[in-house]
Amino acid sequence: LAAWLESHGSLSTRYVVHNGALMPAEVLLVIVFAGLAVPSRFAALATRLGNSALSIFAIHVPIFLVLIKVLKLLSIGKSPLWCAAHFSECVA
């Protein structure tokens, strides 16, 4: 449902899905995986992924905003090179 809303929904639905509609599923995943023990052979990898989580969280919003702009650019039906030459028309 979330994938369908992302691809077919309005821009406001994309923000709703991105900013909270998936929260119950995410919380459930955290609860399930928090109770699991990490095998010793994966402990180093799990530590590295855990340490990188904050930086991934910090950069995901700017990347999301850039990709929304790219999606808008690609959805106007003109070549990105044409838009570079006719910037004001693409913005309009």
Side-chain angles (χ1 to χ4, degrees):
L1 177 62
W4 185 87
L5 286 172
E6 282 282 337
S7 60
H8 295 93
S10 66
L11 188 59
S12 60
T13 10
R14 290 181 189 152
Y15 286 110
V16 169
V17 169
H18 179 74
N19 290 328
L22 296 176
M23 183 64 72
E26 293 167 356
V27 169
L28 181 63
L29 280 174
V30 168
I31 290 170
V32 167
F33 285 107
L36 297 178
V38 177
S40 60
R41 64 182 178 184
F42 297 119
L45 176 62
T47 301
R48 288 187 73 154
L49 288 174
N51 290 338
S52 66
L54 181 59
S55 59
I56 291 171
F57 176 75
I59 64 171
H60 92 280
V61 172
I63 290 173
F64 177 76
L65 294 176
V66 167
L67 290 178
I68 285 291
K69 300 297 182 196
V70 169
L71 178 65
K72 286 181 183 180
L73 176 65
L74 295 176
S75 68
I76 63 172
K78 300 286 185 183
S79 163
L81 296 175
W82 182 87
C83 284
H86 304 89
F87 184 73
S88 60
E89 293 177 42
C90 279
V91 171

